[in-house]
């Protein structure tokens, strides 16, 4: 294998992995906070506390009071953003909260999943641009006939999904599992295209076994 390709591939894997873990930490924190502020998650026996992510007291410590929802003290940046988008005189609800002006409610999972998918594709593209890889439909045609058509077809599906999200086409909102699968799909495709051992597949198999 070409040394430059291998070095660039390793840098791609490192950058993509670092980006994925950073985003997943933000997702876990945001989702845990969402649960703490939701009336739907009150009560110690609520299903929200049966599976993470959620905030919890340390072992041996007094458990968090989950009998009522908590409130978010927003950052100055969020406050400024809200004023810019909603205006200086928002509609205040009976409980003291501010009415969200958009019909479609966006949550941490949808927003962060979309950002992960878009960022992962850009990291993938940045790597393959340097090696004339199949980072677009036009480029993929150059790779046809190399016994890699199944990989190229999978990449086409991932690329189309990324394009849906980037161009805000009406489409099914992404979930966090899809975002992780997107990373995995790009990484395993890159392993096959670059001719390196599939460490991603091996890692998944070790977890599942």
């Amino acid at each position: 294998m070409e040394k430059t390709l291998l070095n660039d591939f390793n840098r791609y894997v490192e950058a993509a992995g670092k980006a994925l873990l950073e985003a997943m930490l933000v997702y876990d924190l945001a989702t845990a906070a969402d649960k703490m502020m939701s009336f739907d998650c009150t009560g110690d026996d609520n299903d929200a506390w049966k599976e993470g992510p959620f905030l919890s007291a340390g072992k041996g410590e007094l458990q968090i009071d989950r009998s009522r929802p908590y409130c978010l003290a927003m950052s100055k940046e969020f406050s400024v953003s809200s004023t810019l988008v909603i205006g200086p005189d928002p509609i205040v609800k009976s409980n003291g909260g501010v009415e969200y002006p958009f019909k479609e409610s966006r949550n941490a999972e949808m927003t962060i999943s979309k950002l992960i998918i878009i960022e992962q594709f850009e990291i993938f593209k940045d790597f393959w641009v340097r090696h004339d890889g199949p980072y677009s439909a036009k480029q993929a045609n150059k790779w046809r006939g190399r016994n890699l058509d199944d990989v190229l077809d999978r990449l086409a599906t991932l690329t189309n999904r990324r394009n849906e999200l980037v161009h805000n086409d009406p489409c099914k909102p992404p979930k966090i599992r899809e975002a992780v699968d997107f990373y995995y799909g790009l990484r395993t495709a890159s392993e096959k295209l670059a001719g390196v051992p599939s460490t991603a597949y091996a890692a998944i198999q070790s977890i599942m076994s």
Side-chain angles (χ1 to χ4, degrees):
M1 180 192 303
E2 180 188 344
K3 185 176 180 180
T4 302
L5 173 61
L6 180 58
N7 289 340
D8 285 347
F9 175 80
N10 289 334
R11 279 193 288 268
Y12 154 68
V13 169
E14 181 179 357
K18 181 173 182 287
L20 179 66
L21 293 183
E22 288 175 345
M24 290 302 299
L25 176 59
V26 173
Y27 165 75
D28 273 13
L29 290 172
T31 303
D34 280 348
K35 288 182 178 181
M36 293 297 290
M37 295 185 295
S38 173
F39 280 96
D40 294 333
C41 297
T42 56
D44 290 332
D45 60 346
N46 195 290
D47 287 344
W49 316 120
K50 294 179 181 178
E51 183 177 340
F54 57 77
L55 297 177
S56 180
K59 186 177 181 180
E61 299 291 334
L62 183 65
Q63 190 50 264
I64 293 172
D65 180 6
R66 291 174 175 152
S67 63
R68 64 187 187 280
Y70 290 75
C71 294
L72 173 68
M74 68 172 60
S75 65
K76 290 182 180 179
E77 291 79 9
F78 193 2
S79 180
V80 170
S81 299
S82 299
T83 302
L84 288 171
V85 175
I86 301 173
D89 300 307
I91 298 173
V92 179
K93 297 187 289 187
S94 59
N95 64 1
V98 174
E99 184 171 319
Y100 195 64
F102 306 109
K103 291 182 180 179
E104 291 185 6
S105 105
R106 300 182 67 82
N107 55 34
E109 182 170 27
M110 185 195 321
T111 301
I112 295 172
S113 298
K114 178 179 178 179
L115 294 177
I116 289 175
I117 289 171
I118 293 172
E119 183 179 25
Q120 286 297 321
F121 188 85
E122 291 306 309
I123 295 171
F124 162 84
K125 180 179 177 181
D126 182 63
F127 162 53
W128 280 111
V129 161
R130 294 193 294 272
H131 297 280
D132 203 32
Y135 55 84
S136 67
K138 182 179 179 181
Q139 283 294 117
N141 288 332
K142 298 179 181 179
W143 286 69
R144 295 286 177 181
R146 303 186 189 181
N147 198 29
L148 293 167
D149 284 4
D150 58 331
V151 180
L152 299 174
D153 291 342
R154 174 61 177 152
L155 281 178
T157 299
L158 296 173
T159 302
N160 290 338
R161 179 57 165 154
R162 172 263 184 192
N163 291 341
E164 277 186 333
L165 298 174
V166 167
H167 300 298
N168 293 315
D169 293 337
C171 60
K172 182 180 179 181
K175 290 189 172 292
I176 201 68
R177 174 61 186 269
E178 181 187 357
V180 176
D181 287 344
F182 194 91
Y183 159 83
Y184 181 73
L186 290 181
R187 178 170 166 181
T188 53
S190 294
E191 289 172 343
K192 291 181 180 178
L193 293 169
V196 302
S198 183
T199 54
Y201 179 77
I204 291 293
Q205 291 299 108
S206 67
I207 292 172
M208 296 177 64
S209 61

